[in-house]
Amino acid sequence: MASWQVDIPSLSNLVASAGAHGLKQLALSGVDIHTLGCMLMVSELIPACQDFRLNLNTRREKQRGERRWLFNAVELGAGTSFLVDHLLKTRAGENVLSLMASIVPLLSPEACVVALSSLFDIAGVKPDHTPGVSQLHKLRNAVVPFSQSVGFQERVLQYHALFERIVGPRSGPDELGPYDAMPDKHTLSRIVQCCHKIATAENTTVLVWKGFVGSGWLAAYASCILGFPVCAINGAGEQLPINDHYARAKVFLHLAAESSTCEIHIEGHLSEFIHVNGLGPLPDCGSWSINCLELNFLRHNVPDFSGPSFVGLFSEIVAMQTLNQLPLALAACYKTQPVPGFQPYMLDVLPRIQARSMDILALLGFYRQEVAGFRLDEDLQWHASLNDPDLAKDFKEFIKQHPDQYRIQHICPEALFRTFKRRLSEQPSDDAITLICDVLNTAVWLASTLAFTDWNSGLRKIAARNFHAFSSYFKRGTSGKRICLDILETCVNARRSMTLRKLDMFDPDWVALNFDGVIILRTLAVSESIHKAQGKVYSLLAGHILFDGEQKEALLQEPGYTLPSSSMSIRSGLTHKQQIGPENIVPSLQSRQFFNGSGETLFVRHEILKDQVLFAFASPASIAMATIESWVALPCQHSYYSVIDSNNQIFPDSGPEHFRLSAGILYDRGSDDPLISILYQKVDNNELGQWLMYSAKNFADSNVIVVHILQRETCINCILDRIVLWERSIDDEKRSGGQKSKTVYWIIAGRIDA
């Protein structure tokens, strides 16, 4: 007994409270006092709510009235009665009885013992304090009458019948039965553990159950015993509140999932899971980085040519070449022909990108240049210098004279020598000029690449191998993936340190990646605003992605969620002669994010709520991709708040089967759309709504062409007139032969100051 008092501190109190008579009654029931003490040790894993504990005491009072005596001397079930009464004396004992009431009436004796043993393993109880199989059997048998009287099994059957009607009948090997209400005996202990985490978590934590099997038991256990708000979701995405609405639910049951899995999701923001260390990678990890605030890039590489006259000349040349590169880099973001009245989104934010490139050059040690000091030709090539108007002329003449030697992405030593000869009294040697050109080319490559990020206000570090000049032509790929790789190579030694596994993470669902202590984020996927990004395609941070104490390599958006068809479209009706114009019809939109980890990956589920009801699942990665591929309407001479009459025939040559105009919030459309659909999104002054509309691109039909248009300082009438011309300019070959392709114009009302 002394050893028990050391290992189980409450056991002495348990023996004292039971007394000699109690110990005798326990002995008659076959349950050892040590077993009872061990059960109380795991009671914290199974916290029952106040209502259910009151129900246990009420049921016990009723059961006492049903006991029988023989000759007024022998009480039937005396040992059983004492065990239950003794457990009801403490909250820990009530928790134990709550668990027994939830599994004893529904599981076989063997499965019940396995489930109880698993709880001790989860709780980390030592083998010396874990009851054996025979003791667990006796404990189960002792509480069977009381557990069956609680009525938990009836509630499980009711929920199972409800969920069976929701998912519909199944035949063959998948035919549903009453035993599908129970989870696997091993999974049951995992569910209990997850529920304990939710009950004790300081932050907002929810449990997500995917699958039909076991959903009935979980719904009853979570709602009745634990008192959690529970909400079920069917295959169509419709919400079915069990005891509370979706916004307050702590347990979500996705009934249409194929396999039964239990997951813990934490509500929060991405910033809560990114831990910035500020130290950067260590040299021995292959990605040694240099802080440009502490070491001057230009002076470090060419210390003999760091005088004002040299730096002034270098600054003009590098600024001109950097501005010359940015339009070429932008071409990787959008691949399309110019359209009258519209311009690509990335071209619209080009001034912001140009300004950042000048800031980056200043951080590298060059004199700050103003973008306004350069002029833009029709071919988007910058050919003028701030302080020396003849500088561009020298380069142009050399291009004409040596077309085979000059590359538009490269500063040539010969052209640079011409400027040295005219502007400087001290002439560098040929070898020095070659070195200087390599330094300037590296600076152009760094500035042109990092201008798509917030590097100038955040990370400000580059890989050590890139801090020194290297002879490499600035070559831009034809995809956003290549841009991302270029950015990573500037900050870490990405080409060498990246593994194939990390390269595979460049899929459409990625939101953030961790490369040797440098985190790269898709800015448009995490900002919930299309205006605040200001041309920043990526954000860079020094730190790690941590979730539940574990480091993660990537953050991906969670796949597999269906849009709620009952609430995904809010239409304005378009009645006869209804006027359509910018307005905000859903000011109550709210967003929340849930995170869950799996292996080295962190997943995020982005939900949009309307009036505390799930409206849609956002797709952050799709939003980031669609935004940089979208169009911005050029300003017109009319009022932004001009309206149109929906009764007007916008396309006079097209009937209803060819054209449709809809307005409101239309998050998705089916396959019955006509050849031309214009969906006007009324989300003016609603940044969240505007951001969400860029993920509205869920078309199963590959023949659907989706065009996102941002309405900015342009009236809706001019946009529609431009769309008419746009449609007529489409090549007839794209609409000939077989099934004709459909075009969906997604007009998003929202100015830059929304």
Side-chain angles (χ1 to χ4, degrees), residues 486-502:
D486 287 343
I487 291 172
L488 285 172
E489 188 176 3
T490 63
C491 301
V492 297
N493 194 2
R495 306 293 183 185
R496 297 180 181 178
S497 63
M498 262 194 284
T499 63
L500 292 177
R501 175 181 52 79
K502 287 187 177 181

Side-chain angles (χ1 to χ4, degrees), residues 478-674:
T478 57
S479 67
K481 179 177 177 179
R482 174 60 188 266
I483 296 178
C484 185
L485 288 172
D486 287 343
I487 291 172
L488 285 172
E489 188 176 3
T490 63
C491 301
V492 297
N493 194 2
R495 306 293 183 185
R496 297 180 181 178
S497 63
M498 262 194 284
T499 63
L500 292 177
R501 175 181 52 79
K502 287 187 177 181
L503 284 174
D504 291 339
M505 291 178 182
F506 283 97
D507 57 34
D509 292 333
W510 79 272
V511 177
L513 299 172
N514 181 14
F515 287 91
D516 291 332
V518 174
I519 301 172
I520 181 168
L521 305 172
R522 298 175 84 166
T523 308
L524 291 165
V526 298
S527 65
E528 295 187 0
S529 171
I530 58 176
H531 305 304
K532 295 179 180 178
Q534 300 179 349
K536 300 173 186 175
V537 182
Y538 305 103
S539 296
L540 299 168
L541 293 171
H544 297 281
I545 303 175
L546 296 179
F547 180 81
D548 198 18
E550 297 180 357
Q551 183 172 323
K552 304 297 181 181
E553 296 295 332
L555 173 66
L556 309 180
Q557 67 181 19
E558 191 167 24
Y561 285 97
T562 305
L563 297 176
S565 58
S566 60
S567 60
M568 67 182 178
S569 297
I570 302 176
R571 309 187 182 189
S572 60
L574 288 185
T575 58
H576 181 64
K577 292 186 177 181
Q578 179 180 355
Q579 292 182 332
I580 300 175
E583 62 177 308
N584 181 16
I585 64 173
V586 282
S588 60
L589 282 184
Q590 297 176 324
S591 71
R592 65 178 185 179
Q593 303 172 46
F594 288 98
F595 298 83
N596 71 297
S598 177
E600 295 184 346
T601 304
L602 181 63
F603 292 96
V604 58
R605 183 176 79 255
H606 204 120
E607 300 179 351
I608 306 296
L609 304 179
K610 175 185 175 294
D611 299 326
Q612 301 298 312
V613 178
L614 178 64
F615 171 70
F617 291 108
S619 176
S622 299
I623 291 174
M625 185 181 302
T627 303
I628 64 175
E629 296 176 352
S630 64
W631 298 82
V632 177
L634 296 175
C636 67
Q637 299 178 350
H638 310 106
S639 171
Y640 168 78
Y641 289 102
S642 298
V643 297
I644 64 170
D645 189 337
S646 63
N647 195 46
N648 293 338
Q649 190 71 19
I650 303 174
F651 289 84
D653 299 332
S654 301
E657 68 279 4
H658 297 99
F659 168 77
R660 177 187 296 160
L661 172 63
S662 302
I665 287 190
L666 302 104
Y667 191 76
D668 198 3
R669 295 301 299 263
S671 59
D672 58 341
D673 288 328

